Amino acid sequence: MVEIRIIVEGGGQAGASDIITANNTESLRQSLNSFFTRLLCRNDVSISVGYGYRNAAKRFIEDSSYNSLFVDSDVSADKVHTWFEKLKTENPDKPIIIPLERQTDVFFMIQEMEAWFLKQPECFEKWASHEGYEKRNTDLISEHSLIRGKSVEYIHKPSEITKILLKHFFEKKMPGSKRKLASYGKLKTAPVLLDCLDVHKLQECDAELSRFKGKFQ
């Protein structure tokens, strides 16, 4: 059985001297590894995290042992094809061209990885319980005006929506009368949120995850 090697956009800059950034990037890698292991029901998954989509794309092209590349689309599902052209033309002096035969191995988090969280808002309450935060009110997160009744894949910057929802709904009691509102950062927050996702339920409402899983079935 061939090892499944996936490179995913995200994490801190390669070679970063900041020990916190390095540790958090490793935490993100481990959580992504667990996420895809659960999704595929296989134990031979290996994840690498690329700093930014250009870095991830270059590594994917240069190393044919990678089976797949996962990147933020930054556009809705009907426009993901423009990602390849952007990669080729946005920096004319340094175009990045993914060979046609490998483009089907590129998968998109539409429009960002945080869309996975918005598709399954119950993961926020699981995250809060794990991290020691309390819900500030009894409102359903899924009923918040920013996501209620909306097609998540058409939400621009789901990372910003995630940030707003966490701050709106959760707080942590501090010594004295102080309270700390929840905040979001991809490296420090996303790993636990990924661990809180029901990957099989998520796959049912995410065409790219379904396409990816189908590749290895």
Side-chain angles (χ1 to χ4, degrees):
M1 187 176 292
V2 177
E3 180 185 39
I4 299 174
R5 299 190 69 225
I6 310 164
I7 185 163
V8 184
E9 173 189 354
Q13 189 166 5
S17 58
D18 182 350
I19 189 66
I20 295 177
T21 298
N23 288 343
N24 287 345
T25 297
E26 175 57 18
S27 293
L28 178 62
R29 189 200 67 77
Q30 291 177 3
S31 290
L32 285 166
N33 203 91
S34 174
F35 176 91
F36 286 108
T37 294
R38 300 195 313 272
L39 177 68
L40 297 176
C41 300
R42 293 176 58 156
N43 293 317
D44 57 346
V45 175
S46 175
I47 297 291
S48 294
V49 176
Y51 174 68
Y53 64 92
R54 288 180 64 85
N55 172 271
K58 287 174 66 177
R59 289 173 60 185
F60 174 70
I61 294 169
E62 293 166 359
D63 189 343
S64 60
S65 69
Y66 283 116
N67 308 95
S68 305
L69 168 66
F70 262 88
V71 292
D72 293 340
S73 68
D74 295 319
V75 293
S76 54
D78 57 324
K79 297 179 181 178
V80 294
H81 62 281
T82 64
W83 183 85
F84 296 99
E85 187 65 20
K86 178 182 74 170
L87 200 64
K88 182 170 63 175
T89 61
E90 66 180 345
N91 187 341
D93 294 330
K94 296 181 179 180
I96 299 176
I97 302 173
I98 296 181
L100 187 61
E101 65 272 16
R102 298 196 73 192
Q103 289 186 11
T104 55
D105 296 324
V106 178
F107 298 86
F108 297 97
M109 299 175 283
I110 303 173
Q111 299 185 20
E112 295 176 310
M113 181 184 71
E114 289 78 8
W116 293 345
F117 309 146
L118 300 184
K119 289 182 176 183
Q120 204 170 106
E122 57 268 32
C123 75
F124 294 123
E125 297 198 42
K126 295 178 183 178
W127 168 87
S129 177
H130 184 277
E131 297 295 288
Y133 284 90
E134 298 178 355
K135 203 153 181 275
R136 302 175 68 198
N137 53 57
T138 59
D139 297 342
L140 292 174
I141 299 174
S142 59
E143 289 299 305
H144 191 281
S145 61
L146 288 174
I147 58 175
R148 183 182 67 243
K150 295 185 178 181
S151 176
V152 170
E153 293 186 1
Y154 282 89
I155 293 177
H156 184 59
K157 289 291 182 183
S159 56
E160 291 299 317
I161 304 302
T162 295
K163 184 182 300 183
I164 292 170
L165 292 177
L166 287 181
K167 187 173 183 179
H168 176 77
F169 281 101
F170 301 105
E171 65 183 10
K172 181 182 291 188
K173 292 181 180 179
M174 306 298 286
S177 60
K178 293 183 178 180
R179 293 175 179 270
K180 176 183 178 182
L181 297 180
S183 60
Y184 178 76
K186 188 183 289 286
L187 293 183
K188 69 182 181 67
T189 315
V192 176
L193 281 168
L194 285 166
D195 293 341
C196 293
L197 290 171
D198 181 331
V199 294
H200 300 294
K201 181 179 176 182
L202 180 63
Q203 180 215 330
E204 293 174 359
C205 62
D206 192 291
E208 284 294 277
L209 287 178
S210 292
R211 181 169 74 90
F212 171 75
K213 187 172 183 179
K215 172 182 169 69
F216 298 102
Q217 288 183 329

